[in-house]
């Protein structure tokens, strides 16, 4: 199975900050990587798929990049509603696997 | 509007069975594969399994920890996907989500998610 290593596991930041979260795959997954946002008690919400395609309706301050084994999610200017937990998910091959998650907290 | 509603969760003893349902609306159910995911209390997300559309044989895939115990099926006439869970273990406890799968450039990706249903395995 492909292991996804996500970092950092937690992050404190302020409104307006630029934030980057990284995921590394244990083997190449081409562009098969998605990013999901989850708020407490809610279902995950897809932000990015196929590494860099922005989900319709998601603000343009979110962006994804990378390919093969290294991927990043960038939030260009944090907004209050962005404080949540973020997960990467490799969707290149089954079994799909997640990173451990990044909890983004208000500084 | 696309909607996915899971049901069937609850408290069950170890070794027993439970069947979850995912009722879909707002799209042509038979045209989409479906994934199941789960999340143990306070933990991260885990992919559980997948079922393809009928024209691709309705093939299924499972995470190793549930293979041989869980079965995913679908009834396109009712727009429902099922997750039959047998020989349940305490570590199967969590919120179970169904999702719609969209294929883009050869990649399967979950776009819409249900609200989840809680399964608690305990004696």
């Amino acid at each position: 199975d492909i292991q996804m290593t996500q970092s950092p596991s937690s992050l404190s930041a302020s409104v307006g900050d630029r934030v980057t979260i990284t995921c590394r795959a244990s083997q190449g997954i081409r562009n098969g990587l998605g990013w999901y946002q989850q708020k407490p008690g809610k279902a995950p919400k897809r932000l990015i798929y196929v590494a860099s395609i922005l989900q319709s309706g998601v603000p343009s301050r979110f962006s994804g990049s990378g390919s093969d084994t290294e991927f990043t999610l960038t939030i260009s200017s944090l907004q209050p509603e962005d404080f949540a937990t973020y997960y990467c998910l490799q969707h290149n091959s089954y079994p799909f696997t997640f990173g451990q998650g990044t909890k983004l907290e208000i500084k | 509007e696309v909607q996915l509603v899971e049901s069937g969760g609850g408290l069950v003893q170890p070794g027993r069975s439970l069947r979850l349902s995912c009722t879909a609306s707002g799209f042509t159910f038979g045209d989409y594969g479906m994934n199941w995911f789960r999340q143990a209390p306070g933990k991260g997300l885990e992919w559980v399994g997948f079922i393809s559309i009928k024209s691709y044989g309705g093939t299924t895939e499972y995470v190793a920890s549930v293979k041989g115990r869980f079965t995913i099926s679908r009834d396109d006439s009712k727009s429902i996907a099922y997750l039959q869970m047998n020989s349940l273990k305490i570590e199967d406890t969590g919120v179970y989500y169904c999702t719609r799968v969209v294929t883009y450039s050869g990649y399967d990706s979950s776009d819409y998610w249900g609200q989840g249903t809680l399964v608690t395995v305990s004696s």
Side-chain angles (χ1 to χ4, degrees):
Chain A
D1 298 359
I2 297 170
Q3 309 303 316
M4 302 301 298
T5 303
Q6 185 174 341
S7 62
S9 56
S10 63
L11 179 58
S12 292
S14 301
V15 173
D17 283 355
R18 180 183 181 89
V19 163
T20 298
I21 300 169
T22 298
C23 259
R24 288 187 172 86
S26 61
Q27 62 190 78
I29 58 171
R30 302 180 295 159
N31 292 326
L33 194 284
W35 291 97
Y36 291 82
Q37 177 193 68
Q38 189 179 32
K39 296 184 178 178
K42 299 293 188 182
K45 170 187 172 184
R46 189 173 72 171
L47 302 174
I48 301 284
Y49 58 104
V50 192
S52 61
I53 301 175
L54 188 68
Q55 171 70 29
S56 175
V58 172
S60 59
R61 63 180 178 273
F62 291 92
S63 63
S65 64
S67 67
D68 195 29
T69 63
E70 189 140 344
F71 301 86
T72 60
L73 172 71
T74 300
I75 310 172
S76 60
S77 178
L78 274 173
Q79 299 302 301
E81 60 268 29
D82 299 338
F83 291 94
T85 300
Y86 293 84
Y87 294 93
C88 64
L89 168 67
Q90 73 83 13
H91 58 82
N92 177 70
S93 60
Y94 292 106
F96 288 178
T97 45
F98 284 93
Q100 302 91 327
T102 296
K103 188 172 183 179
L104 181 52
E105 297 174 308
I106 302 173
K107 187 183 285 184
Chain B
E1 179 194 4
V2 171
Q3 282 197 312
L4 299 168
V5 179
E6 300 93 341
S7 59
L11 175 63
V12 62
Q13 293 179 325
R16 304 299 292 263
S17 298
L18 204 60
R19 188 179 78 162
L20 305 184
S21 299
C22 170
T23 303
S25 60
F27 65 100
T28 303
F29 181 74
D31 289 347
Y32 293 85
M34 300 295 291
N35 269 330
W36 285 91
F37 294 87
R38 66 183 178 183
Q39 187 168 36
K43 302 296 185 184
L45 294 160
E46 180 182 38
W47 172 79
V48 173
F50 163 77
I51 186 165
S52 72
I53 59 177
K54 282 282 167 47
S55 60
Y56 287 169
T59 56
T60 52
E61 300 276 356
Y62 300 96
V63 68
S65 59
V66 309
K67 222 173 267 187
R69 299 190 298 124
F70 288 14
T71 302
I72 299 173
S73 60
R74 62 188 300 151
D75 184 337
D76 291 351
S77 68
K78 295 180 180 178
S79 297
I80 299 178
Y82 298 101
L83 178 64
Q84 176 67 44
M85 305 185 292
N86 298 333
S87 303
L88 281 161
K89 304 177 180 180
I90 291 174
E91 53 265 36
D92 294 321
T93 294
V95 176
Y96 284 72
Y97 299 99
C98 65
T99 75
R100 187 179 79 164
V101 174
V102 176
T103 301
Y104 187 90
S105 296
Y107 298 104
D108 291 341
S109 176
S110 289
D111 57 356
Y112 287 91
W113 292 58
Q115 84 290 349
T117 188
L118 176 62
V119 172
T120 303
V121 184
S122 174
S123 54

